[in-house]
Amino acid sequence: MRIIRLFGIIFLCVLLFTSCDLQTVFIEVNLISPSNNQIIDKSEIKISWDISSNESGYKFNIYFGGATPPPLYETGFMGNGYTIQNLEPDTDYYWCVEAESDYGRKKKSAVYHFKTTSEQKKPAQLVEPEESANDVSLLPYFKWIGFPGESQEATYVLLVESGRRMTPIATLIGVTSYQSEKPFLSNTNYSWAIETRFNQENVLSNVQSFKTTAVPEPPVLLSPENSAVLTENMATFQWSVLVNENEGILYDLYLGKQRDSMLPVVESYDQQSYSLNSLAYGIDYFWMVKAYYENGGTCVSEIGKFSTIEGNLDIDSIYPDDGEHYIPLNTSLEWDYSGNLDDAVFNIYFSKQTSPSFFRSVVGSEFLDLTNLDPESAYYWKVEALVQDEVVAISPVNSFNTRKADNYPPEKPTNPYPRDYGNQIPTDLTLSWSCSDIDGDPLSFDVFFGTSSYNLEKITDKTEVEFYYLENLAYDQQYYWKVNSSDGKKETQGEVWSFKTLDDPDIQIPIVHQLSPQKNAKDVETNCVLSWTGENANSYDVYFGESSSPPYYETTTDQTLSLSLEKGKTYYWQIVAKNGEEETYSMIWDFTTEFGIEQADEVAREMLSYARNSSFIETTTFSADTNWGSMYFKEEYLQDTYIDDFYFVLRATIVNHQDVFFPLEARVSGPELGSHFLLGRFASISELDNAFTDEAVTSISLEQMLTDVERIKFFFSNQWYNLELFRAP
């Protein structure tokens, strides 16, 4: 019996080891570097591979040579990378790797090929613009001959200089021409060169110079004359320009009721006169002309102003915008009437037909609530105004499309930093990404990170910002990461991205990180201080402006920069850390400064419909006594409601002890509203009195609010909320 048991144990062990070995057979050997058919410009190369198994104990047989299939080159190698030296120039090589388990089972990869280049590395030959060329377009076209010939593998850096230093404006792989997308300065001398990059070796071409063309004078506005008053609702706009002979030129004509919100009424127009017969009566108009010259220059005229006399009234559609998509199933129609609101009756035409039928009438109001619309449907609508049963104004027919009934999943995260397959990434960095949601739901993100694309570890759970700071990463390490987005109802899986950290810790690569204000920061003070943390840097180039690709601003050796900014604007900025010829670019961050009074009024009007039609809004009670005592604000708590950094607006009415009505609007904002928010509606005096409770959290003099000041802010004890009341237009 003991012998039988011994043989049984031996049989089970053999079966177990055999099973383990069988598991190791089912692996794949994946060749990583160099990639198949790559061109190599050096005499040695490190080949690398990995296997689809986390088990250890594998040895590798390397096959390498100038023929296919390649001969056996090395056996029993332990590791995932092998350096081959003394490569011949201008030669084809083939290679593959065979994994061998401890039990002699083998699995071979596919065969890859690469070719070495000739030994000589020549600079690029500059072709266009030619040396000392004049009258070059303000959108120059650059062309050069690469090495060798029209190489499809070399990396070219286009360098341009004007008065200070050669600056890279484009990096191109296998492309030997570049059309500038941004205009150069007119009548200015420039120099340019091409730097050809061969892995760690850079070859600079000769430097050539050129001069851009001069830009003609901007358009001169002729008619209507400035401050003119037109007697009709039509105008003929005329202007003139001083141009060179045979100069090609196109125009955009802009028109608007406000100086800073003009819109184009005609674009790419080749005449200097344009008639418009749909102006409104009793309105101040602003207009200007933008000229686009054939040489790439752009000029803008001064802004002209004229008025139309009092006449017919008009209606402008406000919400939804014509052709807008994803409108909620409970929404509203909104319009703007130029006449006396108290005298008007509005007939609303609304249906799924392109010529909508009569739907409903409203009196003294510029909005109509809609409920239970059909999902994913197109609707058409218009409004006509009647005074004493006579039609005095008609809006155009607008359309919109409703959203689907179910929640939309969030978009897949995009725009990763570091960029996918980025190389030479600092070991201290901030991961960042971009993501949006059709429903406008607040988003949260799960970030996964690791050294293998097959085994990523979650490093943060449900973060609400689009960045994550990492430090003390390993040098010369390939990392993989992804971001999953969630709107609290549905989750979207992100793509797997990768990057590789710095090669050599002894090379003093400049590093910049920990930028402040943070990405997407809101309500930043206009007296702003930019700050960052830098390492191994002698100086920093600051790029700053209102463009998403900010221009160069200044160079500093400090790690702060004080700025005086305008209110209610979004600014973009980037820091370039420099150490000799080494430089590192931070990601581009943006922030928005605090709103001014006029901008707050505009934001409140724009958000009116969202607050009124959101399904999670409920009434919150205000209370005031009839002796001008105090007004109280009670908050209601709504569960499972998530609201991001956003403005909510509610139109309300305040009454005093004489029952005189004052239209007001309330805006509620906060950096992190979480699952609570405040909105309210003023009622009659009796309702206000009855609504008074001991749960009030703050109060203010109603008399002071209506007589002494336009705006009052409420700061609640939990420091989440900021309520601002002001007279509505």
Side-chain angles (χ1 to χ4, degrees):
M1 288 300 292
R2 292 182 178 177
I3 295 177
I4 294 176
R5 290 178 181 175
L6 178 61
F7 276 109
I9 293 173
I10 294 174
F11 175 75
L12 289 175
C13 291
V14 172
L15 181 61
L16 176 60
F17 288 133
T18 302
S19 175
C20 293
D21 187 45
L22 286 175
Q23 292 178 358
T24 63
V25 173
F26 299 106
I27 63 170
E28 294 292 335
V29 182
N30 302 311
L31 303 187
I32 298 177
S33 177
S35 59
N36 198 21
N37 298 320
Q38 184 173 341
I39 303 298
I40 305 300
D41 58 2
K42 52 188 177 182
S43 62
E44 70 174 33
I45 189 172
K46 182 178 181 180
I47 62 176
S48 61
W49 61 91
D50 65 11
I51 60 174
S52 59
S53 173
N54 294 325
E55 298 180 8
S56 60
Y58 286 95
K59 296 182 294 184
F60 298 97
N61 302 322
I62 301 171
Y63 294 79
F64 179 82
T68 180
L72 182 63
Y73 188 83
E74 178 73 31
T75 61
F77 181 75
M78 303 291 289
N80 293 79
Y82 186 88
T83 300
I84 298 177
Q85 300 178 331
N86 302 321
L87 298 177
E88 295 293 332
D90 197 23
T91 303
D92 291 290
Y93 288 100
Y94 302 86
W95 66 289
C96 66
V97 176
E98 181 181 63
E100 183 176 354
S101 71
D102 292 340
Y103 299 94
R105 296 185 180 275
K106 301 178 180 180
K107 181 66 175 183
K108 185 180 290 187
S109 72
V111 176
Y112 270 26
H113 158 264
F114 66 87
K115 184 177 181 179
T116 55
T117 63
S118 59
E119 293 180 339
Q120 186 179 10
K121 297 181 176 64
K122 298 181 180 179
Q125 179 181 348
L126 307 187
V127 177
E128 184 180 351
E130 296 178 352
E131 171 63 19
S132 301
N134 290 314
D135 293 324
V136 174
S137 169
L138 299 187
L139 296 173
Y141 174 73
F142 298 92
K143 184 177 180 181
W144 59 93
I145 298 175
F147 169 80
E150 298 292 336
S151 172
Q152 297 301 308
E153 297 298 329
T155 297
Y156 303 103
V157 179
L158 172 60
L159 305 171
V160 176
E161 177 269 338
S162 175
R164 288 186 299 179
R165 60 185 177 89
M166 300 293 281
T167 302
I169 65 172
T171 300
L172 308 159
I173 300 177
V175 178
T176 57
S177 63
Y178 177 75
Q179 175 66 62
S180 177
E181 297 179 353
K182 295 183 178 180
F184 283 35
L185 297 177
S186 63
N187 199 31
T188 303
N189 292 312
Y190 286 93
S191 299
W192 73 288
I194 294 295
E195 182 182 77
T196 307
R197 294 182 176 178
F198 303 92
N199 291 333
Q200 301 300 320
E201 183 177 352
N202 301 333
V203 180
L204 186 66
S205 72
N206 65 313
V207 178
Q208 292 188 174
S209 62
F210 64 90
K211 187 175 183 179
T212 53
T213 186
V215 178
E217 294 295 323
V220 177
L221 305 184
L222 301 178
S223 177
E225 296 181 356
N226 201 33
S227 301
V229 178
L230 306 183
T231 59
E232 298 180 312
N233 70 334
M234 64 174 295
T236 298
F237 300 91
Q238 294 180 321
W239 58 92
S240 66
V241 293
L242 296 175
V243 297
N244 298 328
E245 186 177 358
N246 300 322
E247 178 79 30
I249 186 169
L250 296 174
Y251 306 98
D252 291 349
L253 171 62
Y254 286 79
L255 181 69
K257 298 178 183 180
Q258 295 181 357
R259 178 182 292 269
D260 58 354
S261 60
M262 291 182 287
L263 298 175
V265 295
V266 62
E267 297 179 283
S268 301
Y269 188 60
D270 60 359
Q271 303 297 316
Q272 296 180 4
S273 177
Y274 186 81
S275 296
L276 191 65
N277 59 2
S278 58
L279 301 176
Y281 286 98
I283 297 296
D284 291 332
Y285 282 101
F286 298 89
W287 71 294
M288 70 178 186
V289 174
K290 181 182 290 187
Y292 299 89
Y293 297 96
E294 187 176 35
N295 62 22
T298 301
C299 286
V300 180
S301 72
E302 294 183 349
I303 296 177
K305 179 182 178 182
F306 65 91
S307 304
T308 55
I309 63 171
E310 293 290 341
N312 292 336
L313 303 170
D314 62 356
I315 297 177
D316 291 331
S317 302
I318 301 298
Y319 179 85
D321 289 335
D322 190 27
E324 189 169 352
H325 291 267
Y326 308 115
I327 298 300
L329 305 185
N330 297 324
T331 186
S332 68
L333 305 177
E334 298 184 31
W335 56 91
D336 185 16
Y337 173 57
S338 62
N340 187 347
L341 191 64
D342 295 334
D343 296 337
V345 175
F346 299 100
N347 289 338
I348 293 88
Y349 294 78
F350 177 78
S351 69
K352 293 183 179 181
Q353 306 301 319
T354 55
S355 296
S357 56
F358 174 77
F359 180 67
R360 190 173 301 166
S361 295
V362 296
V363 179
S365 177
E366 293 176 298
F367 69 90
L368 174 65
D369 291 330
L370 301 172
T371 59
N372 299 322
L373 298 180
D374 293 334
E376 299 183 282
S377 299
Y379 286 93
Y380 300 84
W381 66 288
K382 70 175 183 178
V383 180
E384 65 179 19
L386 293 85
V387 176
Q388 297 180 354
D389 296 329
E390 181 177 346
V391 177
V392 295
I394 301 177
S395 76
V397 175
N398 282 357
S399 67
F400 64 86
N401 291 271
T402 55
R403 54 165 293 154
K404 66 181 182 181
D406 296 333
N407 175 69
Y408 288 85
E411 300 291 335
K412 183 181 296 186
T414 60
N415 193 29
Y417 179 87
R419 69 183 187 279
D420 198 14
Y421 298 109
N423 201 6
Q424 297 298 316
I425 304 302
T427 55
D428 292 349
L429 76 156
T430 300
L431 304 176
S432 72
W433 58 92
S434 299
C435 193
S436 60
D437 183 71
I438 293 177
D439 301 311
D441 294 333
L443 299 179
S444 61
F445 306 97
D446 293 341
V447 181
F448 298 81
F449 187 78
T451 57
S452 170
S453 60
Y454 303 103
N455 187 22
L456 295 177
E457 177 184 357
K458 183 188 291 188
I459 59 175
T460 183
D461 184 47
K462 300 299 182 231
T463 179
E464 296 179 356
V465 295
E466 295 179 347
F467 58 88
Y468 186 81
Y469 180 65
L470 293 171
E471 59 183 351
N472 299 325
L473 299 181
Y475 287 100
D476 195 23
Q477 174 66 54
Q478 192 80 29
Y479 285 102
Y480 300 86
W481 64 295
K482 74 171 184 176
V483 180
N484 295 344
S485 56
S486 172
D487 61 1
K489 310 172 189 68
K490 294 183 179 179
E491 182 177 79
T492 299
Q493 296 287 322
E495 300 284 350
V496 176
W497 299 312
S498 71
F499 64 87
K500 190 175 182 181
T501 52
L502 294 170
D503 290 333
D504 187 355
D506 295 329
I507 299 178
Q508 297 298 306
I509 299 297
I511 298 174
V512 59
H513 56 93
Q514 294 182 341
L515 280 69
S516 177
Q518 292 185 349
K519 181 182 179 183
N520 298 325
K522 301 293 190 299
D523 295 327
V524 175
E525 293 183 357
T526 53
N527 292 327
C528 173
V529 177
L530 305 181
S531 66
W532 58 91
T533 299
E535 299 172 16
N536 305 326
N538 297 328
S539 64
Y540 304 90
D541 287 351
V542 181
Y543 290 79
F544 180 85
E546 297 180 40
S547 168
S548 58
S549 298
Y552 169 83
Y553 187 82
E554 75 175 42
T555 298
T556 178
T557 57
D558 297 328
Q559 295 182 5
T560 61
L561 179 64
S562 298
L563 298 170
S564 180
L565 308 176
E566 296 181 37
K567 290 189 175 183
K569 286 194 174 183
T570 298
Y571 293 93
Y572 299 83
W573 64 299
Q574 183 180 37
I575 302 298
V576 181
K578 309 186 75 175
N579 184 352
E581 295 182 356
E582 299 290 339
E583 59 184 24
T584 300
Y585 287 72
S586 75
M587 61 183 176
I588 297 177
W589 279 21
D590 65 279
F591 62 86
T592 302
T593 54
E594 59 191 353
F595 279 96
I597 291 175
E598 295 80 8
Q599 295 165 320
D601 289 345
E602 180 180 354
V603 170
R605 287 193 295 272
E606 290 178 352
M607 293 308 303
L608 195 56
S609 110
Y610 186 89
R612 182 167 50 247
N613 295 290
S614 298
S615 60
F616 47 76
I617 291 178
E618 297 184 5
T619 299
T620 299
T621 303
F622 286 79
S623 178
D625 62 22
T626 57
N627 296 318
W628 297 104
S630 298
M631 181 182 68
Y632 297 89
F633 194 13
K634 184 185 73 175
E635 61 179 303
E636 292 188 2
Y637 295 86
L638 306 181
Q639 299 300 321
D640 300 323
T641 301
Y642 297 92
I643 303 172
D644 202 353
D645 182 5
F646 211 75
Y647 288 111
F648 292 86
V649 181
L650 179 67
R651 177 159 295 174
T653 300
I654 286 288
V655 294
N656 64 6
H657 61 287
Q658 297 176 342
D659 289 330
V660 178
F661 286 76
F662 295 88
L664 297 176
E665 290 179 358
R667 184 181 70 221
V668 181
S669 64
E672 186 179 1
L673 295 180
S675 62
H676 308 85
F677 71 99
L678 303 174
L679 282 177
R681 179 174 61 203
F682 293 103
S684 66
I685 287 296
S686 60
E687 292 176 329
L688 292 175
D689 291 340
N690 294 335
F692 174 80
T693 72
D694 292 333
E695 298 175 22
V697 293
T698 190
S699 64
I700 191 169
S701 167
L702 185 60
E703 180 178 15
Q704 178 190 7
M705 184 184 66
L706 295 177
T707 58
D708 295 342
V709 295
E710 286 288 326
R711 292 161 181 81
I712 299 298
K713 290 187 176 181
F714 292 80
F715 294 92
F716 292 88
S717 58
N718 58 17
Q719 299 182 356
W720 278 7
Y721 304 104
N722 172 21
L723 173 66
E724 184 174 344
L725 299 178
F726 50 96
R727 296 182 185 273

